[in-house]
């Protein structure tokens, strides 16, 4: 059985600058002006690139690691699930997730007149501002309304990997693995089968002891 810790709970309102606490973990998101869409910073499919994604996904929790010396007022942003760090903003090339020795420190600049909005300015030779370009990835831009982000504290709850084994006439025809919060319903079946083949997802809830299911395929 495989168990990890991910976030499945979050605050309903953004924190104020006075409430920021680097010992806690947060989701970081961007709201376009006049819209309700929240574009969250996530680690896309754990492949190392950061994208803006409209979903409260388990990949989105960040730890803020305070710097020392010249970086004493700055933070490393570490993805809690993968352990990767946010790299320096690289213009239209987006933002990489890297190992710590290549990570970039970010200066947090809170907005005058709205202490729930913060921008992240990358250190290094190119001090660009983290920005959601609206096209699905984060880039480094300046002086745009979309550069302001909000933080929501993320609680850490246990999850496990659910494994489905699909069989027909006692022969294995495929598997599916999905990360699911413990106590949640079993996930939907996303594995594709030929037309007429029926796979019914299990009832009940996921637990550490109940996370592997054999699903017998039928033909309609």
């Amino acid at each position: 059985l495989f168990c990890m810790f991910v976030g499945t709970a979050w605050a309903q309102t953004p924190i104020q600058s006075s409430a920021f606490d680097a010992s806690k973990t947060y989701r970081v998101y961007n709201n376009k002006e006049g819209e309700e869409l929240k574009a969250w910073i996530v680690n896309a499919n754990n492949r190392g690139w950061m994208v803006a994604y409209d979903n409260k996904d388990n990949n989105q929790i960040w730890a803020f690691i305070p710097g020392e010396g010249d970086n004493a007022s700055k933070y490393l942003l570490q993805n809690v699930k993968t352990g990767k760090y946010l790299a320096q903003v690289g213009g239209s090339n987006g933002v990489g997730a890297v190992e710590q020795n290549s990570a970039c420190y970010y200066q947090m600049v809170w907005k005058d007149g709205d202490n729930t909005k913060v921008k992240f300015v990358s250190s290094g030779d190119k001090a660009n501002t983290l920005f959601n370009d609206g096209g699905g990835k984060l880039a480094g831009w300046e002086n745009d309304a979309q550069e302001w982000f909000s933080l929501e504290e993320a609680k850490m709850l246990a999850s496990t990997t659910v494994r489905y084994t699909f069989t027909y006439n006692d022969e294995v025809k495929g598997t599916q693995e999905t990360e699911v919060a413990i106590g949640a319903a079993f996930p939907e079946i996303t594995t594709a089968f030929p037309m007429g083949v029926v796979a019914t997802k299990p009832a009940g809830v996921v637990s550490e002891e109940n996370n592997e299911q054999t699903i017998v395929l039928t033909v309609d």
Side-chain angles (χ1 to χ4, degrees):
L1 298 180
F2 178 75
C3 184
M4 65 178 68
F5 287 89
V6 295
T8 56
W10 50 86
Q12 297 302 306
T13 55
I15 68 162
Q16 298 185 12
S17 57
S18 59
F20 175 73
D21 181 348
S23 68
K24 298 180 179 179
T25 52
Y26 297 93
R27 287 186 174 86
V28 183
Y29 67 93
N30 170 278
N31 279 72
K32 297 180 183 179
E33 286 193 352
E35 297 184 19
E36 293 299 321
L37 174 66
K38 292 181 178 179
W40 303 82
I41 301 178
V42 305
N43 183 354
N45 299 319
N46 299 324
R47 291 174 185 163
W49 288 101
M50 300 298 148
V51 298
Y53 188 66
D54 179 26
N55 191 12
K56 296 181 179 69
D57 189 89
N58 287 335
N59 295 335
Q60 300 159 355
I61 302 173
W62 296 91
F64 288 73
I65 314 236
E68 300 177 353
D70 293 341
N71 294 311
S73 63
K74 302 174 183 178
Y75 298 90
L76 293 174
L77 273 67
Q78 182 184 31
N79 187 282
V80 173
K81 179 178 177 181
T82 66
K84 296 285 188 178
Y85 292 78
L86 203 63
Q88 182 172 316
V89 176
S92 60
N93 293 323
V95 183
V98 296
E99 301 296 340
Q100 184 171 5
N101 59 0
S102 301
C104 176
Y105 284 92
Y106 281 85
Q107 178 73 48
M108 296 174 64
V109 181
W110 294 88
K111 187 174 185 179
D112 291 337
D114 186 349
N115 63 2
T116 66
K117 299 286 175 60
V118 62
K119 68 170 129 181
F120 296 89
V121 181
S122 63
S123 60
D125 296 334
K126 296 172 64 177
N128 289 321
T129 302
L130 196 65
F131 170 86
N132 170 27
D133 69 2
K137 65 181 178 181
L138 300 173
W141 295 76
E142 296 289 351
N143 302 319
D144 191 281
Q146 292 173 259
E147 69 190 11
W148 296 102
F149 290 82
S150 296
L151 306 181
E152 289 184 342
E153 183 180 346
K155 304 293 184 182
M156 303 302 291
L157 300 176
S159 78
T160 188
T161 297
V162 170
R163 179 180 175 86
Y164 292 156
T165 300
F166 304 102
T167 66
Y168 185 74
N169 286 339
D170 296 325
E171 182 179 342
V172 174
K173 296 297 184 180
T175 60
Q176 174 184 316
E177 291 189 350
T178 310
E179 185 183 327
V180 178
I182 290 174
F186 278 95
E188 297 297 327
I189 295 171
T190 58
T191 302
F193 295 103
M195 184 176 297
V197 175
V198 178
T200 304
K201 81 179 184 79
V205 298
V206 174
S207 69
E208 290 186 60
E209 297 76 22
N210 184 27
N211 63 352
E212 297 190 11
Q213 296 284 325
T214 298
I215 297 176
V216 178
L217 302 175
T218 59
V219 177
D220 186 1

